[in-house]
Amino acid sequence: MRRPMRKLLLPLLLLAWPGVPAASAPTPLACGKPLRIAVPAPAAVAELVSVAPGPAWLAVHELGQDIDLDSGANPRAQAPLPPRFGRWWLYLQPGESLRLRRSWRNPAAGQVQLELDCSGATSPARDWLLRATPSLERTRKALPLGNDPAPLVADLRALEAVAPDAYSRALARHAVAQAWLMNGRSNAASAAFAQAAQAWRAAGAPQQALAARVGEVEDLHRAGRFDEVLQTLAAMPPAAGESYFAVRLDDVRCSALASLARAQQARGCYQRNLARLQRLGELNESLVVRQSLASVEQTLGRHDRAAALLADALPLAARLGAGFSAGRIHLQLASLAAERGHVGSALRELSAALAVFDSGLAGEVNLRWQANTLIQLAELYTELGAHDEAYLAIADALARLSAADARERVAQALEALARVDRARHREALALRWLDGAAHLYAALGEHDRAAAVQVDALRLRAQQGRLDAAALAALRGQLPRHAPALDLLGAELALTHGDRVLAARLLAHLQARDLPLGQRLQLARLRSRAARESGDSDAADAALRDALAWLDTLAQSTASSAFAQLLRASAWPLRSSAWQAVLDDADRGTVDAAARAWRWLPLATPRAHTATAQVAPRLQAFDRALAAQLLPALTHASDGTAQALLDTLAAAPSDDARYRAATLPELAQFQRSVPAATVVMAWLDGGERSGVLWITRERAWLAPAAAPAVLRAAIADLRASLHAPATPSATIAAAAARVSAALWPAQAPGAPPDQLVVLADKTLAAVPWPLLPWPGQSAPLLDTTTTRVADLVDGTRSAPPALQVHALIAAPAVAAALPALQVAKAEPGLIRDAAGAAVALSVARASRAGVLAALAEPTAIVHVAAHGMTSQGRLGYAGLWLDADASAPDAGSEGGEVGAGAQVDFLSWLDVIEQPTRAPLVVLNACQLGADNDAIANGSSSFAQALVQSGADAVVAALWPVSDSASALWVPAFYASLAADPERDAASALRAAQRRLRDSRAFRHPFYWASLAAYARLPVQAPH
C-alpha cells in the first residue's frame, strides 16, 4: 500500500518552513522520557527540539495517521510502512530540531510516539533498519516499466532472514508485498500480504496485521477474484473496534459485491461505510467511497444521484489535495457524460483524468488507472469514427496491464477492441475479441459481465441478419444497465418482423432517455425507418433532421474544429439513411426527388466558439511530438502525440458562443447561382445503393449509379494503377473508364461541361478527375472540362484575389534527413518570370510560424514548396515539413539561401483545421496533401480540404507523391494562366498546368499530372 514521500530538507531550511506556521513553541525531547503527542491539525506543524547533552537516537512511531518528517538528521533509518504505522530512527545533535505534520489534509485523529535514547547502547533493531532502509525505500514506487521486481524481492527476503526480532521480520514481509503491488503483480502481492498479516499477529501488532489484511483482499479484488474476496473476508475474524482499516476491509467487500453485479447490496454497504468514515473524520477515504457509491448509482440508472455525489466530491478532493481521487472523479464524470451523449464533456473529463494519473500522484495504481482511462477514451474515439486512435489507446492500455494480474481490465480492453473492429466491419475478428472477453469474465466469476458481452455479440449477429429474439429477451431482464442497447436491438428485430406496435413502444421509451452518441444516432435511424414503414415520410425525415441538428449544435459549440469535424462525420449514417429513402422514392417516380436529395447535403457552418489562447501551444506540442516520432534522428523527445491530440479535442469552449442554425437554400435558388456551362454533381451514398444528383442552371435530376462497394473498388483500382510512372497509359485509361462507368452509367448531361464542380465526399475526393472520360466520350476530362472538388459553405462569394503571391520555400538540406528540393528553391523566380509585372511577389523561408502568418493574411496568394506527408489512419498525421530555423535569413538577403535549412519543423492537419485561414488561394507544391488518410471513418482528413474548411477559397494540392523536377513546368504554367485570368480561377489555371505537363516529353505520363487537384469553397446563402 502506498506511502507519502518524506521530504529531506537541510537544517537551515527548518528555521523557515514557508507558509506553514509552527503550532506552538518547540517541544523539548529529553533523554529516556517517552513522549506521545497528537498529530497536528491539517496545515499545522509540530516542532520538537533535542535537549540532550550529546548526540542521541530519536525513535518515532506513527500511531494511526501518516506523517511527514522534516529533519536534517544523518544517519537516519526509516520504515514508512505499513501506512499510518511507520517507524524512524533519527540521529539528533544537541539542540537540533525536527518538524512533523500530517501527510494528508485529513482531520482524523492520530498520535505520534517519540523517545530519545541517549544511552549510546547498540540496538539490533535500529541497526537492521539502517541497513534495510535503501531497499524499503525502493518499494514506495514502481520500478521503471519493464523492470522485474524479483531482485528487489530477493533483497527483502534476505533482510527478513537476518531480522533481529518479530517486528522486523513482519516489516520485511510487508515490504515484499508492497514491492509486488507497486509493480502490478496483484496475485503475488495478495499472497505476500496474507503472509505479512500472520507475521504482524505473531509480533503482537494487530493494527499492522489489519493493514496487511486490507492489502491482501484489495489485491485479490484488483486481480478480479471477487468471489474469493468475499470468501476470504468471511473466513477472517471480525475486526475489533471502529478503525480506519476496519472500514477499509469492509469497503473491499462492497467493491466485490458491486463487481459481482449485486448492486443493491453494494449500495447499502457503501452508504454504511461512508457514514462510518465521516464519523472518524477520514475525509480522504470517504472520497473513495463516494466515488464507488456514485458508480453503483450509475449502474442502477440513477445518473442524477451519481452526478450529485461526484459534484460534491470534486471540490472536497481539491481541498484535501487528493489528486488521485480527483482523477477517479474525472473518469467517472466522463463515463456519465458519455452515457448521456455529451461527448465533448467526456473528452474534457478524460483529459483531466489522464493529467492526474500521468503525474505520478496515483502511486502504485498509476498504470491501472491510466489503462482504465485509455480504454474509455478508445470507446469515445470509436463512436467518433477515429478508429486508429481507438486502436492506439487500447494498445497503450494493454501495455500497462498484466494478463495475469489485471484480467478484468484486459477483458474490458478486448471489448473495446471488438467495438472498433465491428465499426470497421471486421465482424469475425470482433467476435473473436468478444469470446476472449467472455472467457476472462467467466473465469473471474463475473457472470453478468460475461452476459453483457453477449450484447455486443447480438449486435454483430443483427448486422448479419442472425438476431436471436430469445437471447435478447433473456438478457433484457438480466442486464438493466444495458437496457437501451437491448431495446434498440429489440426495436430493430420488431421492425424486421413487422411488429410495429412493439417497435413503437420500445422507441418511445428510448426517446425519453439520455443516450450515448452512437445509440442516439441509431435511435434516430430506427425512428425514421419505423415512420417510413408506416407511410409517414415527414415524420421519418424529422427524426433524422432532429439528430442532425443536435450534432450540428455540438459541432458548432465545441472549441475544437477537429472535434467538430469528427462530430459532423458522425452524421454520415443519418444522411445515408435519408438518401436511401430518396433513391427508393425516385424509383417509384417521386417528382421532387432531386430537391429532397439536395436538402440532405452537408453544409459547413462556422463554429460558435473562437479559439482560445491555449490553442497554439497545444498544436505546437502535437507538431513537435509528431516530428519526433516521424524523424527520430532530429530529436530525442518522447512521443506525446496522443496526449496532445486529446488536449486539442478536449479544449473547453469559450464564453463567446454565436450559434447559427443554418440549412441549405431551396434548390431552385441555388440553381440560379450556377454559372452557364457548369454542372454541379453530388454522389449520394445510400449504403447498399447510390445515385448522382446533377444540378445545372436549367434543371436538376437524380440518376442511378453503381453500388457504393463497386464504385469504391473501381476507384481503388485506378489509384493503384497510378502508384508509379511505369504503368502503361492504356491500363490507366481503362481503369479510369471503369470509374466513369460506375459513377455515370446513365442520364448524365449530354456533352462535357466547361466546368464540373464535384461536391466534396470522402469517396470522390480520392478520384483524379481529369483522367475520367465523360459518358459517351473517349477523351479525358482534362481535354474538355475544368474540374474541382468543392465544399458547400454558409457564406458569400469572395472577390477575385489580387495577384499578390507570398512564396514560402522549405527545401531542407541532406543533414535534415529529408532530400533536398532543388527546383523548389527556384520556384520564386519561375513565378516571377511567368506572371511578369502583374505579380507582387514576396519570398521567405517556410517556417511553421511564417506559414501560419501567411495563411492568416487575407490579401495574398500563398505558395508553399516543401516536403509533404500523409500517414494512414492517424488523426492529424498529414502536413508540411518546414524550416525550423526562425532566425535564418530570407531570400535575397546576405548569408542565406531560401529553403536550405538543416533543421525541420512540422505543420500538421490539426494546425490548419484549428486556426482560421484567410488566404484566398493556397498552392501546395508538396506530396500527398490532397489525399485523405482515413483517420475519420466517414469524413475527410485531407490537409488540403482542412484548409478549405478553415477558410481558404481555393487550394491546389497533390493526391500522391509529386516530382520536384516537374515543378519547373507546371508552376510557371499555373501562374501564367492565373495572371491572364481576371477571375484568378485556380482550377482553370491548374488545368492549364496539367496540360503543360501532359504535352511535355518527360512528364506526359498521368502519374505526373493527374495527381494535382483543385479544391474550393462553394458559398451558398443559407437561411438562418
Side-chain angles (χ1 to χ4, degrees), residues 221 226 229-230 233 247-274 276 289 292-293 296:
H221 190 276
F226 308 119
V229 168
L230 297 179
L233 287 170
V247 180
R248 281 276 299 273
L249 201 61
D250 192 50
D251 204 52
V252 186
R253 187 175 68 85
C254 307
S255 299
L257 291 169
S259 297
L260 291 169
R262 292 153 67 174
Q264 290 290 359
Q265 290 177 269
R267 182 171 180 261
C269 182
Y270 282 132
Q271 288 175 330
R272 181 175 62 254
N273 284 344
L274 182 59
R276 294 168 70 188
V289 176
S292 300
L293 179 56
V296 171

Side-chain angles (χ1 to χ4, degrees), residues 775-858:
Q777 307 285 321
S778 58
L781 286 175
L782 182 63
D783 288 340
T784 61
T785 304
T786 296
T787 59
R788 77 194 78 214
V789 174
D791 285 85
L792 288 170
V793 297
D794 178 12
T796 57
R797 295 181 185 274
S798 304
L803 198 57
Q804 179 180 342
V805 180
H806 191 33
L808 298 115
I809 313 300
V814 175
L818 292 168
L821 301 174
Q822 298 301 331
V823 176
K825 302 173 187 177
E827 285 183 30
L830 297 173
I831 296 170
R832 185 181 293 109
D833 293 343
V839 67
L841 181 68
S842 62
V843 186
R845 288 180 185 268
S847 66
R848 185 177 180 278
V851 171
L852 287 173
L855 293 175
E857 173 57 49

Side-chain angles (χ1 to χ4, degrees), residues 316-330:
L316 178 59
R319 180 159 61 88
L320 295 173
F324 172 51
S325 290
R328 287 188 59 190
I329 294 168
H330 284 302

